[in-house]
Amino acid sequence: MDDRYEAVGKFASAICQNILANLNERTENFRLGDGFETTTNSVFSALIARQSALALGMAESPLTWSGHIAPVILRSMVDLLITFRWIAINPRDRSIEYVNYGLGSEKLLTSHYQKQIEDGTDDDRIRKIAEANFAWIESQQFHIFVEVKLGSWAGTSIRKMCEETGDKDLYNFAYVPFSAAVHNMWNHVGKWNARTCDNPMHKQHSVGVIADAWPIVDFMFRACKYLELTLEAFDKFYEFRSDITPPTQEFNEHIEQLGASWNSVQSSSDEGAERV
């Protein structure tokens, strides 16, 4: 194995261990907050687990540290951070709205499956999916009382949510740029999947390409950052004090070692090429 990849693996392993440690500290034997605020506690605990899962997925898969995959994951992490902060302003009502919208969306999906079955689709897999979805909804709320709502679950735009939480920069410099990757807009595709044709007679049209730029460790830093900001919002809400190293600090403690190992291998490779 190339020593560079081994160095990346060691770096990623340290980040993974830190992510899990931070999550476990806050979710094992969960005894924070008002015990009667079941929905709020459930939502916040699940959201930090989701954010940790996204960061962990990136750390476990270093090949995602490119402009092709990482921005899609980071956009989801930014979205979650905004959601968490916005719910925390009015936790009781907004956590209920958040859950009810999700249940309504699942009810609508289940009804589509049931319609296929009623129309004569003879597929046992669809029937099992519909039954599992129905059971999941019923485990939380009687199916007949679940309301299906369309549009934004929050009833407002992401931009306004950021304004309300006091972080417009998060919208301008993270949510919007990463959205370009999610929606395959030209200001992403044109940078990462297009190059100018070599033939000057072709009017400088673009040719499809998969840009080879890896590893971009800043993407992993951003994942650590958005996870840390979410954990900070969690800790602030529950007045919790953590003894675990924050994700960005863990990143900074290991990134120099990764850089030194990577550059050392690269230097040795260049020297060998010169001898040849």
Side-chain angles (χ1 to χ4, degrees):
M1 179 185 292
D2 189 317
D3 289 343
R4 290 176 299 180
Y5 294 101
E6 184 177 352
V8 170
K10 291 180 179 179
F11 170 76
S13 178
I15 299 298
C16 288
Q17 292 176 30
N18 177 263
I19 291 170
L20 291 173
N22 270 289
L23 175 63
N24 292 337
E25 185 188 35
R26 293 167 174 83
T27 55
E28 289 185 352
N29 302 316
F30 186 72
R31 294 291 185 274
L32 299 174
D34 186 342
F36 294 99
E37 294 297 339
T38 306
T39 303
T40 300
N41 294 339
S42 298
V43 167
F44 282 168
S45 184
L47 283 176
I48 63 168
R50 166 63 174 170
Q51 196 77 311
S52 298
L54 291 171
L56 187 66
M58 280 191 63
E60 289 178 330
S61 307
L63 290 178
T64 63
W65 305 351
S66 73
H68 305 294
I69 304 299
V72 178
I73 301 173
L74 293 173
R75 162 57 155 69
S76 182
M77 296 188 73
V78 172
D79 193 298
L80 189 149
L81 173 58
I82 295 168
T83 295
F84 193 108
R85 287 174 169 176
W86 193 77
I87 291 176
I89 295 175
N90 183 4
R92 176 177 294 182
D93 293 338
R94 291 177 177 177
S95 60
I96 291 174
E97 291 173 4
Y98 174 78
V99 169
N100 286 346
Y101 186 90
L103 292 175
S105 296
E106 198 71 5
K107 179 178 180 178
L108 180 61
L109 174 61
T110 304
S111 70
H112 292 324
Y113 284 127
Q114 291 173 333
K115 181 67 166 54
Q116 283 194 329
I117 295 171
E118 292 170 1
D119 289 344
T121 300
D122 187 18
D123 191 332
D124 192 51
R125 294 172 299 176
I126 293 179
R127 185 173 288 101
K128 289 180 178 179
I129 291 173
E131 290 173 354
N133 288 359
F134 183 85
W136 182 76
I137 295 170
E138 284 276 309
S139 70
Q140 301 168 73
Q141 192 175 136
F142 286 121
H143 189 270
I144 58 173
F145 296 131
V146 174
E147 182 180 359
V148 175
K149 294 183 178 179
L150 303 177
S152 168
W153 76 268
T156 186
S157 68
I158 294 293
R159 179 179 60 79
K160 290 182 179 179
M161 291 169 72
C162 286
E163 289 176 352
E164 190 173 343
T165 58
D167 195 351
K168 291 189 293 185
D169 284 351
L170 185 62
Y171 178 81
N172 292 331
F173 300 114
Y175 183 86
V176 172
F178 291 143
S179 293
V182 172
H183 299 297
N184 305 301
M185 297 173 66
W186 182 248
N187 52 325
H188 179 83
V189 174
K191 296 173 183 177
W192 292 95
N193 300 109
R195 67 170 179 81
T196 302
C197 178
D198 295 330
N199 192 329
M201 302 299 292
H202 289 176
K203 300 181 180 180
Q204 294 186 319
H205 77 103
S206 295
V207 177
V209 66
I210 299 176
D212 184 11
W214 180 89
I216 303 177
V217 292
D218 179 65
F219 285 136
M220 192 61 240
F221 174 79
R222 287 172 182 260
C224 291
K225 174 184 176 181
Y226 299 140
L227 171 59
E228 185 171 321
L229 290 173
T230 306
L231 295 176
E232 287 177 355
F234 180 92
D235 294 348
K236 179 180 179 181
F237 182 83
Y238 288 109
E239 298 181 347
F240 178 75
R241 185 177 181 84
S242 172
D243 295 324
I244 305 296
T245 302
T248 58
Q249 183 178 331
E250 187 76 16
F251 178 96
N252 290 330
E253 289 177 357
H254 290 87
I255 191 60
E256 289 188 10
Q257 182 178 352
L258 170 60
S261 299
W262 186 278
N263 292 333
S264 176
V265 173
Q266 187 64 48
S267 296
S268 299
S269 177
D270 292 343
E271 290 175 3
E274 289 177 1
R275 294 194 192 98
V276 175

